[in-house]
Amino acid sequence: MKQFFTYALTPLLALGLLAPAANAQQFTKRKQYNSVGVTLTAMNYFGDITPKPSIPSLRFGATRPNLGVTITHRFTPIISGRAGLSYGRITGSDNKAADQNDADAKYRYNRNMNFRNDIAELSFVGIVDLIPNRNNYIKRPDFVPYVFGGVAGYAGNPKGEVTDDNSVGLSKGSFVALQPLKTEGKSYNKAGIAIPFGVGARYKLNKSFDLGFEIGFRKTFNDYLDDVSTNYVASRASLTSGAAQYFGWDITGGGTAGVPGTWEETNQAGYKRGESKDDDWYVQAGFTLNYILAPRVKSPKFR
């Protein structure tokens, strides 16, 4: 994971260092401009409730939509700054992602966890175009690939679905907020900082509109986007509510052999519940439609 993060950011940092040389030609304020955009992307995540608890393992069936708005300002022929606000969902299910016939994945199939997390994100990124535009927006290139990186703040609320009848008063099919339950006996933040980075390309539709496609990764510093990280609690009694016992100890409330989630209680205490080696990530891939706000050109004054 650390190597992936390092290798992904190295080209972006190199381009950022080379940017001043590429901008030697004067770029006046009259050539700078703003644009606003709307985004529709597919959203997924890398974490514990995936086919394998590592990058780049994800289940495409868990992909959900993400909607957003952006505002971008062009500073130089190749550098722009963008602020964005988006809202989307990540989700996962052991029953659908884990292969019970895979020895490495069988414990996750038996664990039978599931979650969904609706994430709101506010991001600020720098964009480095690989093809410069030294003219005004009207004469911009027809096709421009780019890379980007920056910082984002996010807030979410992981929830679990009650998947069967139970003895603790939970309704089948309902969703329960997981963070307050302390399913692993620990507190964690539902909000945090993420590092967004990725690649994209824009295509000039006409004088005022660009259509872009972008793939962006978000590296978080939180292993609980899915409410799963380390080990089961030492004893069921330490989980103070029926909901906590349902999601944190025995998913089925005591089922039958061969059904996922039916570990014996004596085997669960302190045993591995998740992989704590890496923090969770989420990823967005999709389209952006940008509208360029034509800059006002001041007419010269004559006396």
Side-chain angles (χ1 to χ4, degrees):
M1 186 83 74
K2 291 181 179 179
Q3 290 179 340
F4 176 86
F5 185 50
T6 301
Y7 296 156
L9 285 185
T10 298
L12 179 60
L13 295 174
L15 284 167
L17 293 173
L18 293 174
N23 292 325
Q25 182 174 331
Q26 185 180 13
F27 191 76
T28 64
K29 287 187 177 181
R30 294 184 65 179
K31 294 180 180 179
Q32 297 179 5
Y33 57 88
N34 298 318
S35 62
V36 294
V38 293
T39 64
L40 174 60
T41 63
M43 194 172 183
N44 214 311
Y45 103 112
F46 306 128
D48 289 287
I49 307 182
T50 52
K52 295 184 182 297
S54 62
I55 285 181
S57 178
L58 57 79
R59 187 176 71 88
F60 288 102
T63 302
R64 296 294 183 271
N66 179 287
L67 297 174
V69 293
T70 63
I71 182 167
T72 304
H73 178 74
R74 174 164 292 278
F75 292 101
T76 76
I78 66 169
I79 297 178
S80 301
R82 183 180 72 194
L85 182 65
S86 66
Y87 183 82
R89 173 175 292 178
I90 57 175
T91 184
S93 170
D94 281 334
N95 189 37
K96 298 176 181 179
D99 183 359
Q100 62 177 317
N101 298 316
D102 182 347
D104 294 331
K106 190 171 183 179
Y107 92 90
R108 293 196 302 276
Y109 179 80
N110 290 331
R111 178 181 62 184
N112 198 28
M113 298 294 177
N114 74 82
F115 86 103
R116 73 181 190 191
N117 194 344
D118 296 332
I119 294 179
E121 178 193 272
L122 177 64
S123 64
F124 299 92
V125 301
I127 299 172
V128 180
D129 289 346
L130 304 186
I131 299 176
N133 173 26
R134 303 188 187 282
N135 297 301
N136 59 28
Y137 76 98
I138 297 176
K139 297 180 179 180
R140 68 191 186 278
D142 290 336
F143 179 79
V144 179
Y146 61 87
V147 295
F148 68 90
V151 64
Y154 69 89
N157 186 21
K159 295 182 179 181
E161 182 182 9
V162 180
T163 56
D164 56 17
D165 297 325
N166 55 85
S167 59
V168 293
L170 298 177
S171 300
K172 183 177 180 179
S174 63
F175 283 86
V176 178
L178 298 173
Q179 188 257 11
L181 303 180
K182 297 183 179 180
T183 51
E184 294 184 4
K186 299 177 182 179
S187 298
Y188 60 85
N189 292 323
K190 296 184 291 184
I193 299 297
I195 305 298
F197 63 91
V199 298
R202 296 189 306 275
Y203 177 74
K204 179 182 176 182
L205 296 176
N206 55 37
K207 181 181 72 173
S208 299
F209 284 95
D210 285 339
L211 179 65
F213 180 81
E214 186 173 290
I215 300 175
F217 299 89
R218 271 66 173 173
K219 191 269 188 262
T220 75
F221 303 92
N222 182 0
D223 194 27
Y224 283 98
L225 293 184
D226 48 20
D227 193 63
V228 177
S229 179
T230 57
N231 299 325
Y232 285 93
V233 293
S235 68
R236 184 170 183 166
S238 64
L239 298 171
T240 56
S241 71
Q245 293 172 9
Y246 180 87
F247 288 103
W249 190 272
D250 181 7
I251 290 290
T252 65
T256 59
V259 177
T262 59
W263 282 10
E264 296 295 331
E265 293 184 3
T266 54
N267 291 333
Q268 288 192 36
Y271 272 49
K272 182 170 68 173
R273 187 170 184 259
E275 299 281 355
S276 61
K277 296 183 296 183
D278 299 307
D279 293 324
D280 295 334
W281 295 50
Y282 58 98
V283 58
Q284 299 176 13
F287 294 93
T288 300
L289 183 65
N290 287 308
Y291 174 72
I292 295 174
L293 305 173
R296 294 183 179 180
V297 178
K298 295 183 179 179
S299 301
K301 296 181 179 180
F302 297 95
R303 295 183 179 275

